[in-house]
Amino acid sequence: MAPLDLASPLTERQATQAKVAELRTLLGAQQLDAYWVPAADEHLNEYLPEAKQRRVWLSGFTGSAGEFLVGREQSWLFVDSRYHQQAESQVDPALIQVSKLGLDDQKTLVETLEALAQTQPGLRLGFDPFTLSVAQFRELEKRLKPVGVELVPLAENLVDQVRAQRPWLLLDPLPAYANAPLFHLPDALTGETVAQKLARVREALQKAKADLLPITKLDQIAWLLNLRGNDVPCNPVFIAYAIVTPTQAFLFTALERVEAALQAALASEVTLLPYETYSDTLKNLISESTPCRVLLDAKRTTLGTHCLLPETAQIVEAANPIEGLKARKNSVEIEQMKQANLKASRAKVRTLSWLAAQFAQGQSLAESDVAATIAAFYREEADFWGLSFPTIAATGANSSIVHYSTPGPQHLLQPGQFLLLDSGAQYFNGTTDDTRTLIWGEPSPSQIERYTAVLQAHINCARQQFPKGATGSQLDGITRSALWSAGLDYGHGTGHGVGMFLNVHEGPNGIHKRAHEPLEPGMIGSIEPGFYEPGWGGIRLENLYVVVELPKADAKPTDLTWYGFEPLTYIPFDQTLIDLSRLDSGQRQWLERYHQTVLEKLSPSLEPADAQWLQQACRL
């Protein structure tokens, strides 16, 4: 490669070439044949601080999921169906081969490495053990060890080395990291004190016969200690580790951003230590208590933390109890989430009303106008903190890009084309997420037919009664049945859990093919079926719901306990896209009741023009 001209700005292609070339130099120095760059960071975050967006920085692909593999001569990006189109538009195929997972002729990361091992015996794959879970590593090892691939954990992340050491990269300096102040949530919002939460976690440790719980997931730490921060875009969490024992609790973070008053408030329950002391403290605590039984959640603990455990540690493998406790919201949290989602619903309705008025006046609007407007309406609501994820405002063919994240001024809304508006906000009393697909002008028969099928799928799930013990994987199939009957499907999950002023994507509950956690009262999540066709457009209809126990009179006549969903989102569906003749009586009744409730909850707080629009929008 020719020397770089530092006097001129690098093109995206030149920057990617240079970065990958520097990484390959390190491969040679480490005697590696390939290096794996996953999307996650040291805390398995979905949304990453800019300083930890290693795959984005190296490859140029900005999707929230996707893995990058750099070999000595070739590079591969592996993305699922949500990102097929986005990867095509962001990645230079001359530099990086995109593997579109889910298509018949496309190889996964493991299959690619298996193929490489056939021509490169003894292939050495380097990786950062703090960027993958124990479960991920075991799956890789299970598949790759038999074909002779050696997995090589490295003490230092090679992408970080490239970014920090090469002079030309000073043009792209490493951003600040983990420096935002922490703040405390009052009991009036959380419904439970730190002491009460620690007591429940310790009770779970005792039942598991474990002595120590290391915590690496940031939302678990934030929930447990009733703390929030601003280190990760769209997620009110902070970079930290934590450890809980039967008598102690430790928080490891940058101490200079914890005000004295907050330190004093935490002192009775939590010992604060510098972030860098996590490794040594973990080892010392284990060595001081022999034998020490460490509870380890293989899905939510990094391999790096596992590697820190000395041989004297006895590992108890189980789900981190915080994950389940956090998912089952208490009555205070549920009420707060109801209020937060009512604010977001009002903001979305005001946006849809504004859009209708703009079109009626013949105004020209772009995707970026829509994204800016809904953000402004979110901000006008009380206790606004920020967006819960980057707004998706996608028109025309862009609406088929599931995680479209670049609404631009060049993409104008046109009559007869879909606008898919997926957005959410963080308020101090809750997290929101909802999606509506709408249209101006005369929709085509195929648009009506497919929209109605997606709406039927949504309604089928939302009105479904299910017995105690039912899982999200079971409801996923029920939801898809209406679409399957029409020869349609979608490549993403039907729903995900949502935190209470925490991450917009939260486990362990969800509605998708791999969701085996039973759905229980207090769990909050989305229902969001869709349909997407490149070049034609996409449809997604999403509400948030809380799982509730049904009254005995409403449940089926058996001894079983029955659950159902109560809506948190109140936004009308686009009546111009609904073929009412395709709805059965139960679906029609659900839709009518839902629209009536939307009117009752929102009309009193809207300006007259918006209330009038809503009245019309809810009329079927």
Side-chain angles (χ1 to χ4, degrees):
M1 184 178 69
L4 293 172
D5 179 8
L6 295 183
S8 303
L10 299 180
T11 65
E12 290 185 12
R13 177 185 171 87
Q14 288 174 325
T16 301
Q17 278 183 313
K19 294 169 185 177
V20 171
E22 295 294 344
L23 180 59
R24 286 178 173 144
T25 299
L26 293 180
L27 291 185
Q30 297 276 0
Q31 297 183 325
L32 299 171
D33 298 294
Y35 189 72
W36 175 38
V37 185
D41 64 356
E42 290 83 346
H43 299 279
L44 305 179
N45 286 312
E46 176 186 11
Y47 296 98
L48 306 180
E50 189 178 356
K52 299 297 181 177
Q53 293 178 9
R54 298 169 174 122
R55 191 219 59 216
V56 174
W57 180 83
L58 187 62
S59 70
F61 172 66
T62 62
S64 60
E67 301 172 294
F68 192 36
L69 178 66
V70 179
R72 291 289 189 97
E73 296 180 355
Q74 290 179 278
S75 297
W76 299 263
L77 177 69
F78 304 89
V79 294
D80 63 37
S81 62
R82 296 171 296 172
Y83 304 99
H84 287 177
Q85 294 182 73
Q86 183 177 344
E88 275 188 348
S89 66
Q90 291 184 328
V91 171
D92 187 337
L95 301 177
I96 301 170
Q97 179 179 326
V98 176
S99 185
K100 299 178 180 179
L101 304 181
L103 302 184
D104 292 339
D105 60 342
Q106 302 291 291
K107 290 189 174 73
T108 65
L109 169 73
V110 170
E111 291 167 343
T112 299
L113 288 166
E114 288 173 334
L116 288 173
Q118 294 179 4
T119 58
Q120 301 179 51
L123 186 146
R124 286 168 51 84
L125 173 67
F127 65 95
D128 180 346
F130 282 93
T131 61
L132 75 160
S133 69
V134 174
Q136 286 176 295
F137 172 76
R138 288 174 178 168
E139 187 62 28
L140 278 175
E141 188 176 50
K142 179 181 176 181
R143 292 281 301 274
L144 296 177
K145 190 174 182 179
V147 298
V149 175
E150 181 182 356
L151 300 176
V152 184
L154 302 176
E156 186 174 354
N157 190 287
L158 294 191
V159 180
D160 290 351
Q161 285 190 45
V162 172
R163 194 168 190 177
Q165 294 178 6
R166 304 304 295 173
W168 64 273
L169 291 175
L170 294 177
L171 299 173
D172 183 16
L174 198 65
Y177 178 63
N179 60 355
L182 307 191
F183 58 95
H184 180 259
L185 286 188
D187 299 345
L189 295 182
T190 65
E192 196 172 12
T193 66
V194 174
Q196 289 170 326
K197 290 181 176 181
L198 283 170
R200 288 209 286 159
V201 171
R202 286 171 174 142
E203 182 181 356
L205 283 177
Q206 186 178 21
K207 288 182 179 179
K209 298 181 179 179
D211 308 305
L212 185 147
L213 173 66
I215 311 169
T216 61
K217 291 280 288 179
L218 302 186
D219 61 333
Q220 294 177 353
I221 296 170
W223 177 88
L224 176 65
L225 302 180
N226 287 345
L227 296 175
R228 299 295 188 269
N230 194 17
D231 288 342
V232 179
C234 301
N235 297 275
V237 296
F238 54 97
I239 302 301
Y241 287 105
I243 298 174
V244 176
T245 76
T247 58
Q248 295 175 289
F250 300 87
L251 173 64
F252 305 87
T253 193
L255 298 184
E256 61 272 12
R257 43 103 162 254
V258 187
E259 294 182 352
L262 183 54
Q263 291 195 30
L266 292 170
S268 62
E269 302 293 342
V270 183
T271 300
L272 272 69
L273 294 171
Y275 182 81
E276 297 76 14
T277 64
Y278 167 68
S279 299
D280 289 340
T281 305
L282 179 61
K283 294 174 185 176
N284 291 337
L285 287 170
I286 293 173
S287 64
E288 291 169 1
S289 176
T290 305
C292 182
R293 293 170 60 84
V294 180
L295 192 151
L296 186 139
D297 186 336
K299 293 181 179 179
R300 300 175 184 89
T301 305
T302 63
L303 178 66
T305 284
H306 185 280
C307 292
L308 294 174
L309 304 180
E311 292 183 359
T312 56
Q314 298 180 18
I315 296 176
V316 178
E317 288 211 13
N320 187 315
I322 296 174
E323 196 73 357
L325 295 173
K326 174 168 55 66
R328 295 163 181 83
K329 275 65 174 176
N330 60 44
S331 59
V332 172
E333 291 175 310
I334 292 171
E335 180 57 33
Q336 296 301 322
M337 284 289 282
K338 287 181 178 179
Q339 295 303 316
N341 280 271
L342 203 59
K343 297 173 187 177
S345 297
R346 182 164 48 238
K348 181 67 71 71
V349 164
R350 292 178 67 193
T351 301
L352 300 184
S353 174
W354 172 83
L355 279 167
Q358 296 298 302
F359 271 96
Q361 296 169 15
Q363 297 292 328
S364 178
L365 296 174
E367 293 173 338
S368 54
D369 297 322
V370 179
T373 297
I374 194 163
F377 285 139
Y378 282 143
R379 283 193 296 270
E380 290 183 13
E381 297 288 340
D383 298 322
F384 174 78
W385 183 84
L387 298 180
S388 57
F389 56 94
T391 296
I392 299 172
T395 188
N398 291 338
S399 62
S400 68
I401 303 173
V402 178
H403 279 191
Y404 181 73
S405 59
T406 55
Q410 72 277 24
H411 299 299
L412 300 179
L413 280 59
Q414 302 290 343
Q417 291 188 346
F418 286 133
L419 170 66
L420 190 154
L421 182 55
D422 186 348
S423 61
Q426 295 279 12
Y427 296 99
F428 285 106
N429 60 339
T431 302
T432 81
D433 181 9
D434 54 71
T435 309
R436 288 296 182 268
T437 305
L438 50 148
I439 200 167
W440 283 269
E442 189 70 25
S444 69
S446 66
Q447 288 173 325
I448 294 174
E449 179 182 354
R450 291 169 175 180
Y451 182 98
T452 302
V454 173
L455 178 61
Q456 288 176 296
H458 183 109
I459 294 173
N460 286 350
C461 188
R463 64 191 287 262
Q464 181 66 52
Q465 296 184 103
F466 49 94
K468 181 179 180 179
T471 66
S473 60
Q474 293 172 304
L475 289 182
D476 184 75
I478 291 171
T479 308
R480 293 176 190 269
S481 63
L483 288 163
W484 288 345
S485 297
L488 308 175
D489 199 8
Y490 48 97
H492 55 75
T494 296
H496 55 83
V498 178
M500 204 299 290
F501 189 36
L502 272 175
N503 294 359
V504 73
H505 293 159
E506 175 183 88
N509 55 297
I511 303 176
H512 51 79
K513 298 172 184 176
R514 297 180 300 280
H516 303 302
E517 182 79 12
L519 293 167
E520 297 182 1
M523 289 182 171
I524 291 175
S526 68
I527 295 176
E528 50 181 307
F531 172 76
Y532 314 90
E533 182 178 313
W536 180 83
I539 303 160
R540 185 160 63 252
L541 301 175
E542 175 188 18
N543 284 354
L544 296 192
Y545 295 85
V546 58
V547 178
V548 295
E549 183 173 345
L550 298 178
K552 294 300 182 182
D554 295 338
K556 295 187 180 300
T558 70
D559 293 332
L560 295 175
T561 298
W562 289 85
Y563 299 149
F565 293 113
E566 177 184 333
L568 300 181
T569 304
Y570 292 99
I571 304 165
F573 297 96
D574 191 342
Q575 58 181 288
T576 64
L577 286 164
I578 304 172
D579 182 351
L580 293 174
S581 69
R582 292 177 178 267
L583 305 186
D584 63 32
S585 60
Q587 293 165 346
R588 176 72 180 258
Q589 289 173 9
W590 184 96
L591 184 60
E592 290 174 345
R593 286 197 303 267
Y594 178 77
H595 275 193
Q596 182 60 37
T597 308
V598 171
L599 278 172
E600 294 170 357
K601 287 186 173 291
L602 293 182
S603 292
S605 62
L606 293 173
E607 294 294 328
D610 294 330
Q612 184 178 359
W613 175 87
L614 183 62
Q615 183 75 37
Q616 180 62 40
C618 289
R619 184 177 296 125
L620 295 175

